[in-house]
Amino acid sequence: MRAATLTRSAVLAVLTLLVLAVLSPFVLVMLNAVKAPTDYASDGPLALPDSLYLKGLADFWIRVDFGEKLVNSLVISGSVAVLALVVSIFNAYALGIGRVRGRGAFLVFFLLANLLPQEALAYPLYYLSKAVGLYNTQLALIIIFTAIQSAFGTYLLSSVYAAFPREMLEAAAIDGAGSWRTLWRVVVPISWSSLSVLFTFFFIWTWNEFFLPLIFLISNDRQTVPVALGVLQGDRLMDATTTSASALLGILPAVIFFLVFQNTLTRGVMAGATK
Amino acid sequence: MVTSTQAGRRPEVGAVPAVARRRARPRPGGSYALYLLPGALLSLLVIVMPLAMNVGISFTRWSGVGSAEWIGLENYTRLLGDENFWASFRNILFLIVAMAVVPTLLGLVLAAVLFDYVAKQIGPRTAKVLRSGFYLPQVLPVAVTGIVWGWILNPSFGALNAILTNAGLDSLARNWLGDPAYALYSVMVMLVWFQLGYPVVMFMSGLQRVDPSLYEAASIDGAGWWQRFWRIAVHQIKPEIYVVLVTTTIAALKVFGQIFVLTRGGPGNATLVPSYFAYQNFFERAQVGYGSAIATVLTVIIVVLAVVFLRIQARGERRDLL
């Protein structure tokens, strides 16, 4: 009995230490983002701040116009999530329910399209967008990410739709609904939980993207949060507390999304698992 | 399939599409092909055409403006003799260890302990909280993880060196990212930190599938915890292990953001990776043909890996299910 208690405590202690190690960068960032530079200079990174110092965060916010960057990221990620979802629904409707000819080849194509390295598309996309006047616009990124994300969405949703209850489709057909009406009145509402999961993924993935936004958004006022923060690193004005402030501003939206979306994700995962 | 995306990260490879293998049934009528039109056009424009152009450009010498000069395979032969090219792929092997191998092994042990021991002996709530802790780095944009670690590891104002100095361990302070002897290892530690939560979450959800009676049978046969873990749990969640290994290996091949923010491939080529090497040639050196060749090689490697994986998985599925 005593040995068991001992093992229990030991396992718990080791795991707790490991988790604390994983979380320590977050703690360091939070401690030092709200610390005065003089405070940091005298007491170092591990000390608790003498007082809650928010000027560093506020100065940095103003310096990079962080509000604008948040809006840019929201506009791009939100548009991509909606558009990629619509494209995924259409594709999956044709492949999973319509069973169009050559669907196997299409699915393999979408799967491969999703895992291609963006480096293999970047320069031609850059060149083409310049040719049609879309370079340095958020629209270019929205189009590109709609294609990339919907490749994954198509792949996933097609297998959900392939298992869609046939009776419901037949019932809709008997009621005289065409394929368009059936899609919006029957298929979309019933698969809503899968769709909300996809929407969430598309949004978060697009928010986190770095490579293509870095290439396509050269004007500061059009940049996304990760790009605006990423290109500042190595800047001479970035000292310890300013860098922690910038890191905290990058971390907060991601953590908030995670907390907000967590339930949607779990619910969707359950729905997907029992489909 | 959906569980593999639970992690909020991109699962890049899944099972062979189940839809493809099913026998076609009579269609309920209506022309569904029309629905495929927007998606197909978009893919053509954003994926197929640029990919083909990239391959075409890789056979030319081109600065990005003016006309390109056809030089056949010259870019590829140049790659073979380019020290930076080999360095970038050598570094990728290290990053695969950091992103795929280590997180998978650690993740297996952690998932098993959390699922089989902590959840049962201490409580499922504790297991859940610990799991979330391991997972948190995964929700961050990669560029932001670069910012966090770029500061911690900074030689002049970084937290790590400051902590070491405060503890009287000045001699251990290093230029973690600027010294070629440590830069790649520093990046590796950061990648393990970033990646670990994904296998933990995946494997814990896989372990829920394991039939408890298997464990009981093994216990009756006198198998210890470690044996049960190795013989039963690991065996049962093989599909998840496959998916994690392949997705993380492909993710390692594509690493860009962290390198861009942390080291820009330096010092020298100590942390150079193919994607950043291609980026340099595209946008800094105006050697677009050469950059395209690098991108093409990377693409071929990733596609081959994915196809091999799909084959293995399809075979495994047939064996397991039939």
Side-chain angles (χ1 to χ4, degrees):
Chain A
M1 203 59 213
R2 266 199 58 199
T5 329
L6 216 66
T7 325
R8 215 179 103 137
S9 316
V11 168
L12 202 59
V14 170
L15 280 173
T16 310
L17 276 177
L18 269 173
V19 169
L20 286 180
V22 168
L23 295 180
S24 60
F26 292 94
V27 177
L28 276 172
V29 163
M30 277 192 284
L31 273 183
N32 295 291
V34 295
K35 191 181 279 181
T38 49
D39 191 358
Y40 184 88
S42 57
D43 294 340
L46 279 183
L48 283 172
D50 288 342
S51 59
L52 196 63
Y53 176 86
L54 295 175
K55 193 168 175 302
L57 276 169
D59 285 350
F60 186 79
W61 182 296
I62 292 164
R63 189 170 128 212
V64 298
D65 201 345
F66 195 72
E68 179 187 75
K69 306 301 179 284
L70 280 175
V71 171
N72 291 345
S73 275
L74 273 174
V75 167
I76 294 174
S77 308
S79 315
V80 168
V82 172
L83 292 173
L85 193 61
V86 172
V87 173
S88 305
I89 291 171
F90 282 161
N91 284 346
Y93 192 45
L95 296 172
I97 289 177
R99 299 174 180 282
V100 299
R101 206 181 287 273
R103 63 184 173 280
F106 271 112
L107 284 169
V108 170
F109 164 78
F110 283 117
L111 176 62
L112 290 179
N114 178 253
L115 56 84
L116 283 180
Q118 294 175 358
E119 294 76 24
L121 312 172
Y123 203 90
L125 286 172
Y126 166 81
Y127 186 80
L128 290 170
S129 71
K130 274 192 162 171
V132 296
L134 283 177
Y135 181 59
N136 197 19
T137 66
Q138 296 170 352
L139 181 61
L141 278 178
I142 291 172
I143 296 172
I144 293 167
F145 283 127
T146 297
I148 292 175
Q149 311 291 30
S150 67
F152 173 80
T154 301
Y155 178 77
L156 189 84
L157 205 53
S158 292
S159 70
V160 173
Y161 282 0
F164 198 87
R166 289 272 139 189
E167 317 81 66
M168 307 202 76
L169 299 172
E170 279 150 22
I174 289 166
D175 287 349
S179 68
W180 182 257
R181 256 179 80 98
T182 309
L183 173 61
W184 294 109
R185 294 288 171 81
V186 179
V187 176
V188 168
I190 287 178
S191 56
W192 196 247
S193 60
S194 301
L195 298 180
S196 61
V197 176
L198 277 182
F199 178 89
T200 312
F201 288 148
F202 293 164
F203 184 89
I204 292 177
W205 289 338
T206 309
W207 185 283
N208 290 352
E209 282 288 348
F210 184 69
F211 180 68
L212 289 175
L214 175 74
I215 293 166
F216 276 82
L217 302 175
I218 45 164
S219 301
N220 187 284
D221 61 343
R222 295 181 188 171
Q223 282 171 351
T224 61
V225 171
V227 173
L229 298 180
V231 295
L232 270 181
Q233 302 314 302
D235 189 301
R236 234 173 303 126
L237 291 167
M238 302 296 286
D239 54 22
T241 48
T242 318
T243 310
S244 339
S246 83
L248 186 62
L249 289 181
I251 289 172
L252 280 181
V255 172
I256 290 171
F257 295 146
F258 178 63
L259 296 176
V260 169
F261 286 136
Q262 214 175 12
N263 287 333
T264 319
L265 293 179
T266 328
R267 204 178 56 227
V269 169
M270 309 289 268
T274 56
K275 68 165 196 282
Chain B
M1 198 40 225
V2 185
T3 41
S4 70
T5 60
Q6 179 178 20
R9 73 190 298 294
R10 184 181 304 266
E12 314 196 39
V13 180
V16 160
V19 204
R21 279 184 273 110
R22 272 181 213 149
R23 185 80 52 82
R25 269 177 258 164
R27 292 186 228 156
S31 179
Y32 286 96
L34 223 52
Y35 289 97
L36 212 46
L37 206 58
L41 277 177
L42 193 67
S43 301
L44 203 64
L45 200 70
V46 175
I47 292 163
V48 178
M49 198 167 71
L51 185 64
M53 284 172 74
N54 185 79
V55 174
I57 296 169
S58 75
F59 298 115
T60 68
R61 181 178 294 126
W62 188 35
S63 68
V65 286
S67 56
E69 179 197 348
W70 184 268
I71 55 169
L73 289 172
E74 210 177 288
N75 284 325
Y76 291 93
T77 50
R78 185 178 149 200
L79 274 181
L80 293 177
D82 187 338
E83 191 201 331
N84 285 333
F85 175 74
W86 291 111
S88 74
F89 277 93
R90 182 203 62 213
N91 294 340
I92 277 295
L93 290 181
F94 281 86
L95 298 195
I96 289 174
V97 170
M99 285 182 80
V101 180
V102 174
T104 301
L105 293 176
L106 264 179
L108 269 174
V109 175
L110 286 173
V113 171
L114 285 175
F115 180 83
D116 195 38
Y117 188 85
V118 175
K120 287 171 191 162
Q121 304 288 321
I122 299 166
R125 243 197 126 73
T126 316
K128 237 180 181 167
V129 169
L130 290 170
R131 184 186 67 179
S132 301
F134 286 118
Y135 188 71
L136 197 62
Q138 276 275 297
V139 308
L140 299 185
V142 287
V144 173
T145 64
I147 295 167
V148 171
W149 283 86
W151 164 58
I152 292 176
L153 301 176
N154 189 291
S156 50
F157 61 74
L160 181 57
N161 280 352
I163 291 167
L164 289 172
T165 310
N166 285 354
L169 297 167
D170 310 46
S171 56
L172 288 180
R174 296 276 185 279
N175 187 354
W176 298 106
L177 294 168
D179 185 333
Y182 302 105
L184 188 58
Y185 297 111
S186 302
V187 172
M188 286 171 74
V189 168
M190 180 258 187
L191 288 173
V192 171
W193 170 81
F194 174 63
Q195 200 63 261
L196 182 61
Y198 171 58
V200 171
V201 168
M202 282 285 283
F203 295 158
M204 279 180 80
S205 93
L207 285 170
Q208 291 177 342
R209 281 191 292 109
V210 180
D211 183 355
S213 64
L214 282 176
Y215 279 124
E216 282 157 30
S219 297
I220 293 167
D221 288 349
W225 187 86
W226 183 255
Q227 270 187 319
R228 278 192 341 228
F229 164 68
W230 201 244
R231 299 258 172 86
I232 299 172
V234 171
H235 187 74
Q236 293 285 317
I237 60 168
K238 254 189 196 157
E240 278 82 3
I241 299 176
Y242 266 138
V243 170
V244 166
L245 275 176
V246 173
T247 52
T248 51
T249 302
I250 290 178
L253 286 164
K254 293 178 173 178
V255 160
F256 176 85
Q258 291 100 333
I259 296 295
F260 180 91
V261 175
L262 281 177
T263 62
R264 305 262 169 142
N269 57 21
T271 59
L272 189 66
V273 291
S275 64
Y276 188 71
F277 189 34
Y279 173 86
Q280 279 182 316
N281 281 289
F282 286 142
F283 299 106
E284 287 169 8
R285 300 186 186 148
Q287 300 188 352
V288 179
Y290 197 51
S292 301
I294 300 163
T296 305
V297 171
L298 187 61
T299 308
V300 169
I301 292 174
I302 289 176
V303 169
V304 167
L305 238 169
V307 170
V308 167
F309 166 71
L310 286 176
R311 283 270 158 88
I312 293 174
Q313 209 195 27
R315 215 172 46 209
E317 246 176 38
R318 243 174 281 140
R319 211 179 34 230
D320 290 350
L321 296 179
L322 295 181

